[in-house]
Amino acid sequence: MAESGDAPVDKPVQVKLVLLGEAAVGKSSVVMRFVQNDFSENKEPTIGAAFLTQKCRLEDRVLRYEIWDTAGQERFHSLAPMYYRNAQAAVVVYDITKASSLEKAKSWVKELQRQANPNIVIALVGNKLDLVQSPAAAGAAPAGEEAEDEEADDATATPGEGGEQPLPEPEQEGESLRQVPKDEAAAYAQEAGLLFAETSAKTGEGVVEVFTEIAKKIPIEHILASTRGGSGSRAGGAQARPNVTLQEGQQPAGGKACNC
Amino acid sequence: MTTISAQFRNYREPTKDEGIREFFNAHPAGPDDIPPTGKDVTEISAVMSLKGEDQSYSGRLYLMPPFLAFVSLDRKSARFTLPLYTIRRVEKVNSRAGMFELSLVLWHQMKINVQLTSLRPTADSFCAQLRDALKAQLPQMKKLRPFIRVCYSEHLIKQDGEEYIDAEDDVKDGLEDGVDETIKEAQTEFLGGLGLTFKFPGDPKKLREKSKLKLWKEYLRTHGRNVTLVRYPSVQRLIQVGLPNRLRGDLWETLSGSVYLRFANQGVYEGILAKHKGETSTSTEDIEKDLNRSLPEYRAYQTEIGIGTLRRVLTAYSWKNREVGYCQAMNILVAAILIYMSEEQAFWLLEVLCNRLLPGYYSPSMHGTLLDQRVFESLVSRCLPIISDHFHTVDVQLSVASLPWFLSLYINSMPMIFAFRIVDCFFAMGPKVLFQIGLAILKINGEKLLEIQDDGGFIHLMRDYFNTLGDSAHPHASDSRMRAITNFQELLVVAFREFSVITDDTITSERKRHRNEIVSGIESFTKRAAVRNLKESGAFKKEQLGAIYDTLYKAICAVSASGSGASALAALETTDAQGRPETRIDLKTFRIFLSNVATWARDESIVSNAFVERIDRTVAEHELINRIFFFWDVSHRGALSFQDIVTGLNGVMFNDLMSNIEWFFTLHDKDKDGFLTRDDVLQLSESLLFIFRNEIGDAYLGTVSNFMTNAFEYGDALQPENNEKAEVPEGERAPEPPTNTPYLNLATFRMVVLADELLESFFDTDFSATFKLDIYPGPESPSESTGLIAGIGGLLSNLITDENKKTLNRFADEFGKSIGRHQVTYRPAIGKVDRDMALQEPKTRESLLSPQIRDRSMSSGSLTSGASSTSLAASTSEPLTPGLLPPQLPTIPALPERTPFAIDEVQDDDEDEEDEDDLVVTGGDETLDERSLTSLFKVDAFLQENA
Ligand SMILES: Nc1nc2c(ncn2[C@@H]2O[C@H](COP(=O)(O)OP(=O)(O)OP(=O)(O)O)[C@@H](O)[C@H]2O)c(=O)[nH]1
Ligand SMILES: [Mg+2]
């Protein structure tokens, strides 16, 4: 999979990325959208952490994300250092329909800034954007339906399921479900020096962009210099913020978890 | 700030008897089951055989009401755990010369023979105890039938096998449409899980369900079943080929021993559900989040039936075991178990899992999980050193892969049908199985593991391996039987053959070896997190915050250690505004905390016996401390968080004169209206007396007395309603103004305080200086990045040695007393006034005892009595050594340089009396007047300024 046409023959630059955030904010769903371009309503909670990989292509370099998707429940907190050690990037996720999840996200940011790799690139991501958008405006409906169709097998037998979902259907509630104003989170991100985006793992909106923005900001030079056996060429492209294109995440058929 | 469960922190190794009960899953159902003699377990050598079978096993027989249990000498060939209420009769078999043989006739007529091979008297006494124990269990017998009747194992052996299994196939064919009736019928007949309705995972043909059931049926007919199962070597084999789905739940219950709990606690599950119906908690919220996320691929969990079942078991357990509550991974475990068992069965199995098989795995600190990961790591380095070395070289952390294996019993890691077979072995043989399987996985993949370069590679490799567990382990073998061996079978063989060296004892001793390390690791982690998560840290430096945390933590541990187990929870687990778990402390714990921070919140007596001097600390109790507790409890929860305490201390430790005065004022202003009432003034004076209670001499007493005189004088003078009082009819003295109306404002209070030098100095520096934070070196681990595994010792070891120290001290005291060299003196909280000064300022005593004030003080309890008696004691004490004084008070020239607490310098009791008399008598009126005058002058000046 590493071969992709015109990419230079360098080994892909490995970037270790960790996902943190309160339980059920959609960390695993964001990763699944990024890696497999897929979404499923009932994702098992992550136990400990899950590991996935996905490649990105910068102008002249392949970047390989090694993604650690951690468990969100508070009591797993003490395990987190195991996963964020040596991480070059972190995506801290909160749920825009749940105010407390932003507080948790802030405390993760604080911890990362104090305990993790000093050069770590952190992105703050407000997920479940689809829940606060009217279906028409979002243009999300097709993607959403598609996702549901894909897992029709699982879903057919669950008529009562809607009631079990922690959040009501977006169509009825619209923007009123939002508990975290975009401005507020953005201002905080700005102040703390984080990348910021709002996403929907369900519709896919904004997800890929998060990872491309991170890719742009990663000091690739630095990584190349420090990785073991990092004999790769030191192209100056990284700092010039080249275009980043995702190698395969966008093709629903092609994505396959951790097979690269 | 989350804390480690008291259980873990105060961990103690099980006693021998407890260990035996543990091995047999034979826990007493209630306190009645433990004989008053205290001797819990009686054991005897015996040879066991079953009527009609050839094999016999020599081993040990244990009587531990309500159970009789046996295990063969090798501890694995043969064993049973028989509840006494299943024994119908005990017959004495005609014994050969000196031999003593009993035949136990069970309710289903099976006979177990036990030959007691000990000496005759021992055997006789054992029999006598057995007889008594059997009698005691008679009432339980009638509960047995209805309980047993619905066990699937009973059902299985009653039916004609072939017929029955055909019926099973019918059920499956009917699944597509309207099977519910068939199912309901089946369920009323015997207990079972969701699998009966929604099919069991795996292909029954491939799993060879029929033949497995047949084998079990034969075995159970002759060897007992459910509560009476006798385990012979063939059981081991039957378990290792995988339990048949329909019998699985029944056997899990039996093998893990949870069936005994269910028997002893009938109705408890339903009771908990009923009691907490409609209630919510953080646990139930977390559970709701995960209900749709538990084995979602299994059909039952796509329906309300399955979800409801899962919800009930998880919530009921979160109510039962509040300390654990709910932890992600439990949902997966319970969802899995419920495929094979009824709700109530699953509930009790969960209890056994959380308490016994996976202790501390799911608790808020997850200490059990961390401990076992550490143990696993150490076993890997011992058994597979090459792999372990390679992991170190490439900096791969074992637990990134292995943690979920243990936490979800491999259910989350490998295809369910295989995971369930591991679970079968786990329930039969205990936690060591998890380690054996883990080691075997690594060993089998050894070569490939040596090629991995990072965590990611490790995870990939493991995932690929788990996905091929069903494939042939030897695909290219010429022998077709070899080819038929799957990777999974190979895994089991390696696990149980090559790692049979891993025994229960290995696990126990490894856990013991690493426990402290884990405790201190978690402690330093939680400490850092707690300090980091403080919203406000005031003027404190990081080390000071750490010290506050340590002191707080020590207090929590002290309370839970002194309390009787879990009932005395020192720390209340709540959630903060963001829903994060947060530990809060109650008043009792706060007293201990404060006693370690503020000198006046403890009584420190210097005890000298014949050998040594030491300082004994006791926690003081006073309204002032309660007042501070509630003052700091800004969210009115009746409990303080770490943040509350930091904010509270910050509000007093860095104060200057004016802010200290204000702080003290506000503290005593009960209704926070900016005025002290007369009552408040009295309370405040009492607080001052309390703080000064151990000071040497009477200077402080005089100061407080002056304070009161002045306060009331000026309070009265400033009362606006003084004019109104003119309306009170003549002839009757104006009634005392009500004690609870606004009386003294801050300005007046300030003025009164400043009127007294000693008080001024107290509020200026001395009071803040009574707060001292001890900075412990502490188990601060330098590398958070490597997780929690750093530092040794921790406070646990301190607690242990403290216990020893106490004993030693008591002994020394007794000895000291017996030779007349036992002395106790109190250490003052401020220690500013030394003996000489005390002698110079005697006069104030009288005014304190002036009738007016005495009347008032009577009404408020302990004012004089407590305070003055302690100060009397204090007056005998030696001046303090420099080290004990607040550093801010270096100007005490009178302080003699001496070795600390020199015995020979302590004056004897007679001299005390004289001193006291002197103090009172020498009180000259002259000085008093002078003082008052200057005070008044100052006050006047102040009034003018502030008018
Ligand atoms: N509507 C909507 N639902 C989402 C979105 N992302 C996730 N979810 C749902 O939220 C629930 C939790 O998602 P997960 O991805 O498992 O959350 P997580 O953060 O990985 O949770 P833990 O592993 O427990 O920490 C699932 O039911 C998802 O279907 C989203 O963008 N929109
Ligand atoms: Mg997840």
Side-chain angles (χ1 to χ4, degrees):
Chain A
M1 286 173 93
E3 309 308 323
S4 67
D6 51 24
V9 284
D10 302 346
K11 277 209 250 130
V13 181
Q14 308 250 5
V15 174
K16 179 170 170 181
L17 181 146
V18 63
L19 272 105
L20 300 166
E22 200 176 79
V25 296
K27 297 178 293 299
S28 304
S29 301
V30 166
V31 180
M32 185 143 97
R33 173 60 73 189
F34 175 55
V35 173
Q36 293 175 271
N37 196 20
D38 196 1
F39 177 78
S40 82
E41 286 290 341
N42 302 319
K43 191 92 188 49
E44 287 195 19
T46 312
I47 305 302
F51 178 78
L52 298 100
T53 55
Q54 174 66 302
K55 287 180 190 172
C56 273
R57 190 155 57 93
L58 290 138
E59 260 177 1
D60 55 351
R61 162 163 296 111
V62 181
L63 204 129
R64 182 171 179 265
Y65 277 121
E66 300 197 315
I67 303 169
W68 289 95
D69 167 27
T70 64
Q73 202 189 7
E74 178 65 31
R75 62 187 76 184
F76 285 82
H77 186 143
S78 61
L79 307 176
M82 186 158 84
Y83 304 108
Y84 66 62
R85 69 184 190 134
N86 307 329
Q88 286 111 4
V91 175
V92 179
V93 186
Y94 68 94
D95 176 349
I96 58 173
T97 66
K98 197 164 172 240
S100 69
S101 68
L102 179 65
E103 289 309 313
K104 181 68 200 171
K106 286 180 182 172
S107 96
W108 277 120
V109 169
K110 217 164 154 189
E111 175 163 347
L112 286 171
Q113 287 176 337
R114 291 216 201 163
Q115 314 282 1
N117 179 351
N119 298 318
I120 193 164
V121 176
I122 306 176
L124 180 70
V125 168
N127 189 37
K128 306 203 183 175
L129 186 57
D130 57 288
L131 293 179
V132 302
Q133 289 168 331
S134 61
E145 268 164 33
E146 185 191 334
E148 268 161 25
D149 286 344
E150 274 168 27
E151 38 140 43
D153 293 352
D154 283 337
T156 38
T158 59
E161 201 175 36
E164 293 307 314
Q165 290 295 326
L167 303 158
E169 289 301 310
E171 288 77 15
Q172 293 138 25
E173 300 293 331
E175 187 74 11
S176 66
L177 266 178
R178 184 188 275 276
Q179 287 189 6
V180 180
K182 188 171 181 179
D183 303 350
E184 183 195 320
Y188 162 72
Q190 169 96 33
E191 182 193 329
L194 320 172
L195 294 170
F196 173 70
E198 287 190 339
T199 63
S200 164
K202 189 165 177 172
T203 66
E205 187 176 347
V207 172
V208 171
E209 288 77 0
V210 169
F211 292 87
T212 51
E213 285 306 311
I214 291 173
K216 287 181 198 167
K217 220 182 151 190
I218 292 271
I220 290 182
E221 302 298 282
H222 198 82
I223 296 171
L224 279 178
S226 65
T227 37
R228 46 192 165 234
S231 52
S233 69
R234 307 170 131 260
Q239 279 176 338
R241 296 207 165 197
N243 286 330
V244 181
T245 50
L246 197 75
Q247 206 173 20
E248 54 186 27
Q250 294 292 50
Q251 274 67 52
K256 203 176 170 204
C258 45
N259 244 358
C260 355
Chain B
M1 153 190 181
T2 44
T3 42
I4 309 179
S5 76
Q7 216 184 346
F8 183 57
R9 168 153 263 295
N10 304 318
Y11 180 83
R12 96 188 142 73
E13 296 294 326
T15 62
K16 180 164 174 265
D17 283 2
E18 285 165 346
I20 293 167
R21 281 192 180 265
E22 181 108 16
F23 177 80
F24 287 107
N25 308 316
H27 293 274
D32 301 344
D33 291 331
I34 299 172
T37 53
K39 183 94 179 68
D40 185 23
V41 178
T42 317
E43 59 173 287
I44 192 165
S45 296
V47 175
M48 192 271 281
S49 59
L50 284 181
K51 188 86 186 255
E53 299 225 0
D54 297 336
Q55 306 103 306
S56 64
Y57 296 92
S58 63
R60 305 284 286 171
L61 186 68
Y62 300 86
L63 176 64
M64 43 190 159
F67 298 98
L68 185 69
F70 174 85
V71 64
S72 57
L73 288 176
D74 65 359
R75 287 179 83 79
K76 57 172 188 248
S77 298
R79 63 184 275 189
F80 64 69
T81 304
L82 274 185
L84 292 169
Y85 47 79
T86 62
I87 301 177
R88 272 292 130 84
R89 251 175 312 134
V90 179
E91 292 163 359
K92 206 157 153 188
V93 181
N94 50 347
S95 41
R96 281 173 282 137
M99 274 300 172
F100 203 119
E101 187 164 350
L102 298 178
S103 174
L104 313 169
V105 185
L106 304 191
W107 72 270
H108 46 72
Q109 300 307 319
M110 187 172 86
K111 283 185 182 172
I112 302 174
N113 284 357
V114 282
Q115 195 181 78
L116 307 183
T117 51
S118 297
L119 290 175
R120 189 63 189 236
T122 322
D124 277 337
S125 117
F126 188 87
C127 285
Q129 286 188 45
L130 177 60
R131 193 185 321 116
D132 293 346
L134 281 168
K135 245 184 239 160
Q137 288 300 318
L138 274 177
Q140 299 292 326
M141 265 188 191
K142 61 176 187 303
K143 289 197 208 157
L144 185 63
R145 278 256 186 206
F147 183 82
I148 294 290
R149 205 168 39 85
V150 290
C151 287
Y152 181 73
S153 46
E154 266 346 291
H155 181 79
L156 176 68
I157 61 154
K158 248 191 296 172
Q159 297 247 344
D160 177 43
E162 298 313 313
E163 219 174 84
Y164 182 68
I165 285 164
D166 289 342
E168 174 191 13
D169 290 341
D170 287 348
V171 169
K172 274 184 202 127
D173 296 341
L175 257 184
E176 319 311 317
D177 39 21
V179 283
D180 280 2
E181 277 112 87
T182 341
I183 302 311
K184 263 181 207 138
E185 197 182 299
Q187 275 176 341
T188 46
E189 256 179 274
F190 56 86
L191 298 171
L194 293 163
L196 293 175
T197 318
F198 297 93
K199 292 193 196 177
F200 295 102
D203 174 356
K205 291 237 160 56
K206 268 200 206 143
L207 295 172
R208 295 193 293 160
E209 285 289 299
K210 281 189 192 182
S211 40
K212 282 181 189 172
L213 269 179
K214 202 185 255 167
L215 286 170
W216 273 103
K217 186 170 155 180
E218 279 162 24
Y219 185 87
L220 298 179
R221 271 197 174 133
T222 45
H223 296 78
R225 59 261 177 183
N226 47 68
V227 290
T228 59
L229 182 71
V230 174
R231 292 200 230 174
Y232 269 17
S234 48
V235 166
Q236 197 87 343
R237 287 194 292 274
L238 283 172
I239 291 168
Q240 285 183 15
V241 299
L243 297 176
N245 283 326
R246 303 183 142 252
L247 194 56
R248 196 165 240 155
D250 188 289
L251 280 168
W252 280 355
E253 238 196 338
T254 303
L255 296 170
S256 72
S258 72
V259 70
Y260 307 121
L261 278 179
R262 185 164 66 87
F263 181 87
N265 296 283
Q266 292 173 56
V268 168
Y269 171 68
E270 299 294 335
I272 292 174
L273 280 178
K275 184 169 167 217
H276 296 284
K277 200 172 159 68
E279 265 179 73
T280 57
S281 67
T282 31
S283 294
T284 61
E285 281 165 24
D286 284 356
I287 291 167
E288 288 300 322
K289 273 187 207 161
D290 289 348
L291 287 176
N292 284 313
R293 311 203 283 156
S294 316
L295 304 189
E297 67 278 12
Y298 183 67
R299 264 195 50 195
Y301 299 117
Q302 296 156 15
T303 70
E304 256 317 302
I305 301 174
I307 296 288
T309 311
L310 186 59
R311 174 188 290 119
R312 282 189 296 277
V313 174
L314 286 172
T315 41
Y317 194 71
S318 78
W319 294 121
K320 164 143 201 336
N321 189 341
R322 284 166 195 251
E323 192 184 324
V324 166
Y326 167 73
C327 177
Q328 290 188 328
M330 283 166 77
N331 62 325
I332 291 174
L333 225 60
V334 173
I337 293 170
L338 280 170
I339 299 175
Y340 300 98
M341 311 183 123
S342 71
E343 288 177 31
E344 194 183 6
Q345 287 176 305
F347 179 81
W348 292 109
L349 188 62
L350 188 57
E351 166 83 351
V352 169
L353 277 168
C354 292
N355 276 351
R356 197 137 42 83
L357 294 172
L358 305 173
Y361 268 46
Y362 305 116
S363 77
S365 64
M366 299 185 78
H367 56 256
T369 305
L370 297 169
L371 178 56
D372 276 6
Q373 286 306 302
R374 185 70 192 80
V375 169
F376 185 53
E377 222 166 74
S378 125
L379 293 179
V380 170
S381 81
R382 211 196 305 165
C383 303
L384 305 165
I386 300 174
I387 294 176
S388 170
D389 287 350
H390 177 67
F391 277 17
H392 276 138
T393 318
V394 296
D395 193 22
V396 161
Q397 206 161 345
L398 191 57
S399 23
V400 295
S402 63
L403 186 118
W405 299 350
F406 284 70
L407 209 53
S408 67
L409 303 181
Y410 295 93
I411 295 169
N412 212 27
S413 308
M414 41 176 87
M416 271 204 268
I417 45 164
F418 298 125
F420 286 137
R421 289 183 57 183
I422 293 175
V423 174
D424 293 341
C425 300
F426 169 74
F427 283 131
M429 296 181 276
K432 69 174 179 217
V433 170
L434 301 179
F435 294 91
Q436 290 169 324
I437 296 283
L439 287 164
I441 292 172
L442 297 179
K443 165 133 200 198
I444 289 168
N445 289 285
E447 271 171 42
K448 289 182 192 154
L449 283 172
L450 293 181
E451 285 162 25
I452 58 154
Q453 294 301 320
D454 52 27
D455 291 340
F458 181 29
I459 299 261
H460 270 299
L461 179 60
M462 291 295 100
R463 198 172 323 176
D464 290 347
Y465 172 68
F466 290 139
N467 285 335
T468 58
L469 280 177
D471 299 355
S472 168
H474 310 281
H476 307 300
S478 50
D479 184 349
S480 66
R481 274 170 53 207
M482 274 292 268
R483 275 201 307 273
I485 295 174
T486 63
N487 280 329
F488 183 75
Q489 284 166 324
E490 187 196 25
L491 174 64
L492 287 191
V493 170
V494 174
F496 299 136
R497 287 254 167 83
E498 301 191 28
F499 295 104
S500 57
V501 288
I502 310 294
T503 63
D504 293 336
D505 289 344
T506 319
I507 306 300
T508 310
S509 71
E510 283 291 312
R511 282 181 179 167
K512 191 172 167 184
R513 201 153 73 88
H514 296 289
R515 184 166 271 116
N516 280 356
E517 187 188 323
I518 297 297
V519 172
S520 55
I522 297 175
E523 269 163 16
S524 68
F525 180 86
T526 32
K527 176 173 159 185
R528 270 194 309 272
V531 170
R532 189 174 50 228
N533 285 331
L534 283 173
K535 287 228 138 49
E536 296 287 333
S537 44
F540 288 111
K541 288 200 259 320
K542 212 171 152 196
E543 311 82 71
Q544 288 174 308
L545 294 170
I548 298 175
Y549 179 92
D550 286 339
T551 315
L552 187 60
Y553 197 65
K554 228 172 92 181
I556 291 172
C557 293
V559 172
S560 17
S562 68
S564 49
S567 61
L569 270 183
L572 318 165
E573 296 295 334
T574 56
T575 48
D576 67 7
Q578 282 83 50
R580 265 180 309 209
E582 183 185 55
T583 300
R584 293 178 161 259
I585 58 165
D586 60 6
L587 180 58
K588 185 175 171 204
T589 318
F590 177 70
R591 276 197 209 112
I592 299 179
F593 167 78
L594 199 66
S595 79
N596 286 316
V597 172
T599 50
W600 44 265
R602 59 178 176 246
D603 284 307
E604 271 182 320
S605 50
I606 301 160
V607 179
S608 28
N609 54 42
F611 308 102
V612 283
E613 288 90 21
R614 66 165 195 275
I615 300 175
D616 276 353
R617 273 189 187 184
T618 53
V619 177
E621 279 188 34
H622 189 269
E623 183 54 32
L624 172 64
I625 295 168
N626 308 357
R627 201 180 283 277
I628 294 176
F629 179 82
F630 293 109
F631 187 44
W632 289 359
D633 181 17
V634 284
S635 48
H636 307 289
R637 299 235 221 161
L640 299 182
S641 67
F642 180 44
Q643 177 71 68
D644 289 339
I645 287 173
V646 167
T647 311
L649 283 175
N650 186 57
V652 64
M653 282 181 68
F654 305 104
N655 282 352
D656 60 7
L657 174 62
M658 287 306 161
S659 38
N660 255 336
I661 294 177
E662 186 171 346
W663 185 88
F664 219 77
F665 179 88
T666 322
L667 178 66
H668 289 86
D669 179 8
K670 206 186 256 150
D671 49 10
K672 311 285 175 235
D673 64 348
F675 283 93
L676 297 181
T677 64
R678 287 157 100 39
D679 261 352
D680 291 343
V681 174
L682 280 171
Q683 301 267 355
L684 190 146
S685 320
E686 211 182 305
S687 296
L688 289 173
L689 279 176
F690 168 70
I691 292 174
F692 301 145
R693 71 196 179 285
N694 288 336
E695 298 313 306
I696 301 158
D698 281 355
Y700 280 103
L701 227 50
T703 292
V704 175
S705 156
N706 273 350
F707 165 78
M708 290 174 80
T709 319
N710 290 337
F712 284 113
E713 215 162 285
Y714 283 86
D716 284 342
L718 290 170
Q719 278 291 339
E721 60 269 54
N722 254 5
N723 307 330
E724 295 161 30
K725 273 190 205 134
E727 293 161 25
V728 173
E730 288 290 321
E732 230 176 274
R733 267 187 59 77
E736 283 281 301
T739 53
N740 55 359
T741 52
Y743 185 67
L744 207 68
N745 69 9
L746 178 59
T748 322
F749 174 68
R750 209 183 276 144
M751 185 170 79
V752 176
V753 165
L754 295 176
D756 186 292
E757 266 175 61
L758 207 51
L759 221 45
E760 180 182 333
S761 134
F762 170 73
F763 282 109
D764 192 12
T765 48
D766 304 355
F767 182 59
S768 293
T770 59
F771 291 88
K772 271 170 256 173
L773 298 173
D774 295 332
I775 313 245
Y776 305 98
E780 184 77 40
S781 79
S783 50
E784 176 157 26
S785 54
T786 52
L788 320 147
I789 325 293
I792 323 162
L795 295 157
L796 192 72
S797 45
N798 285 347
L799 282 178
I800 294 161
T801 47
D802 271 1
E803 213 26 68
N804 294 340
K805 256 190 239 156
K806 265 182 213 150
T807 322
L808 198 75
N809 285 342
R810 226 170 325 172
F811 171 78
D813 287 354
E814 286 309 312
F815 189 78
K817 271 178 204 156
S818 69
I819 60 169
R821 300 194 62 183
H822 179 82
Q823 294 256 8
V824 182
T825 50
Y826 283 91
R827 206 203 289 203
I830 300 171
K832 188 170 193 176
V833 180
D834 71 2
R835 219 181 142 67
D836 298 338
M837 272 171 82
L839 284 168
Q840 285 161 10
E841 301 200 36
K843 63 271 164 183
T844 45
R845 228 183 132 69
E846 263 172 325
S847 60
L848 177 70
L849 299 175
S850 74
Q852 184 199 12
I853 294 174
R854 191 164 45 201
D855 286 349
R856 286 186 186 137
S857 58
M858 288 308 196
S859 66
S860 43
S862 66
L863 174 61
T864 33
S865 54
S868 59
S869 65
T870 41
S871 59
L872 286 184
S875 68
T876 71
S877 69
E878 277 303 297
L880 287 166
T881 54
L884 303 173
L885 283 160
Q888 289 88 336
L889 304 172
T891 54
I892 304 177
L895 198 74
E897 292 266 43
R898 284 206 197 116
T899 42
F901 328 124
I903 313 172
D904 50 1
E905 301 286 339
V906 179
Q907 290 154 352
D908 60 35
D909 291 349
D910 296 352
E911 235 173 290
D912 276 343
E913 306 284 338
E914 281 168 29
D915 277 359
E916 196 198 321
D917 291 346
D918 279 354
L919 294 178
V920 179
V921 174
T922 49
D925 292 342
E926 208 180 42
T927 8
L928 176 68
D929 286 346
E930 241 172 50
R931 263 188 79 86
S932 309
L933 278 173
T934 34
S935 316
L936 287 179
F937 181 72
K938 270 195 199 164
V939 171
D940 278 340
F942 200 93
L943 261 181
Q944 299 233 302
E945 265 174 48
N946 292 277

